[in-house]
Amino acid sequence: MYSFGEKLRELRTKTELSQGELAKVLNTEYGTSMNKGMISKWENEREEPRMDTIRILAAFFNVTLDELMGLNIDETNDLPKESPVDIADELEKLINHLKSDEVLYFQGLDMNKNIKDTLKVSLDNLMLLTKQITNSSE
């Protein structure tokens, strides 16, 4: 299994681009503001890019996010099976994140307060509805 930095370096060298050339191409094709130093930090595992940047890199190199992140499908199939998930617990965690002042992302984009509030109300309603359905089926 590769690390993200190793995989990025491998993909970049396969395309025969320097770090500076890669930054320039991405800036031109995707409207980013990358530079050689950023790519160097990612390849050397000193920093990690934002999710929206990872998506751009995956699109540019025509690889899946899993592949770019160094995950091998065969290796992930060998992972131990997770314990059963209680959806109510997971929804409660999401609601708590939405109640906090922390910065949250959805598909790599920042969520503003209005979006967080709307999503929180929706999840609260979902919890209530699910509890009603569960109680009525017992």
Side-chain angles (χ1 to χ4, degrees), residues 5-48:
E6 291 170 328
K7 190 63 181 181
L8 177 59
R9 180 178 289 117
E10 175 190 307
L11 292 167
R12 180 182 56 76
T13 55
K14 276 185 181 178
T15 57
E16 299 181 353
L17 292 171
S18 69
Q19 292 171 339
E21 290 168 334
L22 175 59
K24 186 175 182 178
V25 169
L26 294 173
N27 293 342
T28 302
E29 290 187 24
Y30 295 91
T32 62
S33 56
M34 295 183 201
N35 60 53
K36 175 185 173 185
M38 296 167 83
I39 294 170
S40 174
K41 287 178 185 177
W42 301 334
E43 288 183 359
N44 291 299
E45 307 287 333
R46 289 192 306 260
E47 285 185 17
E48 290 185 7

Side-chain angles (χ1 to χ4, degrees), residues 58-77:
F60 175 76
F61 289 115
N62 196 28
V63 296
T64 65
L65 291 174
D66 282 349
E67 186 177 351
L68 182 59
M69 297 308 294
L71 297 175
N72 181 328
I73 300 303
D74 294 334
E75 289 173 358
T76 57
N77 289 338

Side-chain angles (χ1 to χ4, degrees), residues 131-138:
K131 285 178 186 176
Q132 290 171 349
I133 292 170
T134 304
N135 291 336
S136 69
S137 67
E138 291 178 346

Side-chain angles (χ1 to χ4, degrees), residues 44-119:
N44 291 299
E45 307 287 333
R46 289 192 306 260
E47 285 185 17
E48 290 185 7
R50 292 173 43 139
M51 192 63 196
D52 55 336
T53 302
I54 292 171
R55 284 191 181 92
I56 289 170
L57 291 166
F60 175 76
F61 289 115
N62 196 28
V63 296
T64 65
L65 291 174
D66 282 349
E67 186 177 351
L68 182 59
M69 297 308 294
L71 297 175
N72 181 328
I73 300 303
D74 294 334
E75 289 173 358
T76 57
N77 289 338
D78 294 337
L79 294 175
K81 301 294 181 220
E82 292 185 27
S83 351
V85 174
D86 186 332
I87 298 299
D89 290 343
E90 297 303 314
L91 285 172
E92 196 63 45
K93 288 178 189 174
L94 285 172
I95 290 168
N96 287 333
H97 281 298
L98 293 166
K99 287 178 183 175
S100 75
D101 289 333
E102 66 186 303
V103 176
L104 300 177
Y105 298 97
F106 184 82
Q107 296 183 329
L109 301 173
D110 292 348
M111 292 175 58
N112 65 34
K113 184 176 179 346
N114 290 338
I115 293 171
K116 286 172 63 174
D117 290 345
T118 302
L119 187 54

